[in-house]
Amino acid sequence: MILKGSQRANGADLAIHLMNSYDNESIEVAEVYGTVAGDLYGAFAEFEAVSRGTKAKEYLYSLSISPPSPLTREQYFEAISTIEHRLGLQGQPRAVVFHVKQDGYGRAREHCHVVWSRIDIENMRAIHMSHDRSRLMDLACELGRKFGLELAPGLLAWEAKQQFEKEKLEATLAEKAQAEETGISPEQRRAKITAAYEASDTPEAFRAALEQKGYVLAKGDKRGLVVVDKFGNPHSLTRYLKGFKASEVKKKLASLRPEELPSVDQAREIMRQRTQAYDDTQREQQAEQRDQRAEERLEKERAHAEKLAARRLEIQQAKQEMLTRQQAERLALHAAQKAEADGLLFRVRRAVADLIGRTPGLRSVLSHIQRMTSLDPAERHRLENDALARRHEREKLEFERRERFQARIEKRETLSRERALRREKQLAQDTRLERERTAEQAHTVENKAKQDFHDAARDDGLWKRREFEDGELSDSFNDAASLKNADSFSDDDGESYAPDWADDADDDGDDDGPKFKRERGHSYKRDDDP
C-alpha cells in the first residue's frame, strides 16, 4: 500500500482535478462530511472560507491511497479512520473520492483520495502536521500487513530500518504535471541524462552529449547546475543522475566555470529557437497516417462526449424539476392565502389591524403585540412569500454554482485532451526521429565495417592499389580476354594451347553468312549493312 500525503491550498483546483473524468475511467464521490454543500467544489469552498479566519495558507491535507491489490470499501474506510487518528485529523471535515484509471500495463486500477480540512474550528487554528511522511510510511507497513498486501521493496527496507536506494525515481506533483503536459516521464528523462553522463569523460563532452539528447546544461538560480529540456522546464542535475552522488558530480564537473554556462532564461531561449527550427522543418513534411493510438483516442473522446452529455442532461433535468417544483409551491401558497383571505376571520383581523394602524394611540400601545401575535394576516402572508422567495433564490444560486463547477470541469477535461494530443504527436515525432537516427547509425556502422574490411585486406597484402596510365587499362583487359597465358585448354593429345578467337570467328564453317566486325566506339556492324 502506497500512502502519499501533502498539505496544499487552492481547493477549487483540487476539486476540478478530482472530478476530471477524461483522465479517469470512473469517479465516485463516496463521502462529503462536515459541510453544508454535498459536492467537492462547495465543500472545499467552505474549507477555504473557514481558513480565512486563521493565518493558515495550506488549509487542506490531501492523501492518496494506492493498494497493490483491490480492497473492499470497509477496508478503505478502516484505513482512513486509522490514518486520520494517527495524523491527528479525527473529526475534521473530509471528502472521500474513488478513482479508477489504467496503470502502465493497461489494467484498470482503483485508488482512493481523501481530503481533510486542517482548520480546527473550535480553536480557529491549523492542525500541525509534523513528520507526516514518517507516520505514513509506518502506517503503510502496518496496514499492508493487516490487510495481507504485498509490501514494496521501499516499505520492506523502511520496516527493517534500512537505507533503501530507490531504483525508480519517485515523481513529485510538479513532475507529474510536467509528464502529463509533455508526455515524458521522470524515469525517461533520468535515463537519458544518466546515459549522457556515463558516456562522457570531460565536462565539455557531457554538455555535447546533453545537447544531442535535447537538453541544455545551465547554471541554476537556486541549485548549482540544472538541465533545461526542450519545453523550457529546468531540472536538478544531481536528482536525474542515477547512481552518482552530488560530490562525485561536482568533482567531475569542477572545471566548468559558471560564467561559461547560460542562465535558465538563456537556456530556455536556446531551446525555444531549436524547437522553432524543428517545428518549421516538421511543417514541411507530410502528416503521418492515423495509427492505433489515434483510433483509441477517438474512441476515448466519443466515450467522454457521451459522459459529458449525460452530465449536462442530468443537471438540466434537475434544474427543470426544481423550477417546476418552485412554481407548484408558489401556486400552492397563493391558493392557500387566497382561500384564507376569503374567510370571515381573515377580514375581521384585517379590519382590526387597519384600525390599529390608522389610530396613533392604539398603534403606540398595540403595535408590538400585533407583531408578536401576527395579528395582521396580510403581514404574515408577506413574510411567507418572502421566505419562499429566499429559499427559491438559494436553490437557484446552488444550481448556478453547479453549472459554473461543471464548466470548469469541462475546461480542465479539454486541457487534458489537448495534452493527450500533444503527447501522441510528440511520441510520433520521437519515434520517427529515433527511426531515422537508427537508420543513420546502421549506415554509419556499415560504412565503418566496409572501411575496416578494406583496411584489413590492404594490410594483409590481399588488395593493392594500382595506378593505370592512359591506354594501359584497355590493353590489360584485351590481354586478359585473349587468354594468351591460359593453360586450361587442351587438345585430344593432352597438349595445352591458346585458342585464336579471331580465326574461330572467320572459320566458322559458314562463308555465306553475314560477318560482324568491330568499329570505333565499341560497336559492332554487319558486313552487308549499308
Side-chain angles (χ1 to χ4, degrees), residues 53-239:
T54 67
K55 296 181 179 180
K57 301 298 181 183
E58 297 176 337
Y59 54 91
L60 299 176
Y61 190 81
S62 176
L63 174 72
S64 66
I65 305 175
S66 301
S69 57
L71 296 178
T72 63
R73 288 292 186 268
E74 291 77 11
Q75 290 175 328
Y76 268 116
F77 279 98
E78 182 180 354
I80 293 172
S81 178
T82 303
I83 292 169
E84 69 178 8
H85 277 80
R86 195 72 60 86
L87 296 178
L89 295 171
Q90 63 273 15
Q92 290 297 114
R94 73 184 185 193
V96 181
V97 183
F98 290 95
H99 283 173
V100 176
K101 65 167 52 177
Q102 292 186 353
D103 57 9
Y105 301 99
R107 299 171 300 188
R109 182 182 61 85
E110 184 184 62
H111 61 280
C112 176
H113 294 271
V114 189
V115 183
W116 287 275
S117 171
R118 292 182 54 227
I119 307 303
D120 182 3
I121 299 179
E122 295 182 359
N123 301 315
M124 285 309 292
R125 64 177 183 85
I127 297 175
H128 191 53
M129 307 295 298
S130 60
H131 307 291
D132 60 316
R133 301 290 178 88
S134 301
R135 296 181 185 180
L136 289 179
M137 292 291 286
D138 293 335
L139 284 166
C141 297
E142 177 184 337
L143 294 173
R145 296 294 186 190
K146 183 177 183 179
F147 298 142
L149 302 176
E150 182 180 358
L151 297 185
L155 293 177
L156 291 174
W158 176 271
E159 192 176 38
K161 303 301 180 184
Q162 298 174 354
Q163 184 66 26
F164 176 68
E165 184 69 23
K166 292 182 179 179
E167 289 294 328
K168 185 177 180 181
L169 184 66
E170 289 292 338
T172 62
L173 294 177
E175 289 173 337
K176 288 182 179 180
Q178 291 176 0
E180 292 179 357
E181 182 72 21
T182 62
I184 301 175
S185 65
E187 275 297 318
Q188 294 173 340
R189 185 181 300 110
R190 187 187 192 189
K192 289 184 177 181
I193 296 176
T194 303
Y197 184 82
E198 291 176 344
S200 305
D201 298 332
T202 63
E204 292 301 329
F206 178 53
R207 291 182 63 183
L210 281 178
E211 291 180 359
Q212 290 180 356
K213 295 183 179 296
Y215 296 93
V216 173
L217 187 64
K219 55 183 178 182
D221 299 332
K222 298 180 180 179
R223 308 177 185 91
L225 293 177
V226 297
V227 288
V228 179
D229 59 18
K230 58 186 175 182
F231 302 98
N233 299 321
H235 308 280
S236 173
L237 176 61
T238 54
R239 174 171 171 78

Side-chain angles (χ1 to χ4, degrees), residues 305-315:
E306 294 176 358
K307 290 182 181 179
L308 184 61
R311 287 205 308 259
R312 291 177 177 175
L313 180 61
E314 180 183 359
I315 293 178

Side-chain angles (χ1 to χ4, degrees), residues 387-399:
L388 184 64
R390 286 194 300 271
R391 182 165 63 83
H392 287 177
E393 186 64 24
R394 286 195 304 270
E395 293 175 351
K396 290 181 180 179
L397 291 175
E398 175 67 18
F399 266 93

Side-chain angles (χ1 to χ4, degrees), residues 77 274 277 287 324 354 422:
F77 279 98
R274 292 180 183 176
T324 303
D354 290 341
R422 285 197 296 269

Side-chain angles (χ1 to χ4, degrees), residues 253-401:
L253 304 179
S255 59
L256 282 178
R257 293 183 296 179
E259 56 270 13
E260 296 177 351
L261 298 176
S263 64
V264 174
D265 294 335
Q266 292 173 346
R268 285 173 176 167
E269 180 62 23
I270 293 173
M271 296 306 298
R272 188 191 65 80
Q273 294 175 359
R274 292 180 183 176
T275 304
Q276 183 177 2
Y278 176 77
D279 291 341
D280 293 341
T281 304
Q282 290 300 111
R283 291 191 191 98
E284 298 175 359
Q285 300 178 358
Q286 296 181 354
E288 294 186 350
Q289 297 180 353
R290 294 181 180 177
D291 52 4
Q292 183 178 1
R293 293 186 178 180
E295 295 178 359
E296 292 177 357
R297 176 179 55 81
L298 293 176
E299 182 64 27
K300 186 176 182 179
E301 289 183 356
R302 284 193 292 268
H304 176 257
E306 294 176 358
K307 290 182 181 179
L308 184 61
R311 287 205 308 259
R312 291 177 177 175
L313 180 61
E314 180 183 359
I315 293 178
Q316 291 297 328
Q317 289 178 346
K319 186 175 181 179
Q320 187 62 37
E321 292 176 359
M322 179 199 68
L323 294 177
T324 303
R325 176 178 53 77
Q326 288 182 352
Q327 182 67 21
E329 290 176 351
R330 285 194 295 267
L331 291 176
L333 179 61
H334 177 73
Q337 291 177 351
K338 178 66 176 175
E340 184 182 5
D342 293 338
L344 177 61
L345 181 60
F346 180 88
R347 294 197 301 270
V348 171
R349 295 178 63 182
R350 180 59 183 161
V352 173
D354 290 341
L355 177 62
I356 295 174
R358 291 195 305 268
T359 307
L362 295 176
R363 185 171 64 249
S364 61
V365 176
L366 300 177
S367 60
H368 64 285
I369 300 177
Q370 181 181 356
R371 287 192 298 269
M372 292 175 59
T373 59
S374 299
L375 181 62
D376 188 359
E379 180 66 16
R380 179 168 51 80
H381 286 182
R382 185 185 66 80
L383 294 176
E384 292 175 351
N385 291 331
D386 291 345
L388 184 64
R390 286 194 300 271
R391 182 165 63 83
H392 287 177
E393 186 64 24
R394 286 195 304 270
E395 293 175 351
K396 290 181 180 179
L397 291 175
E398 175 67 18
F399 266 93
E400 290 178 0
R401 185 183 62 80

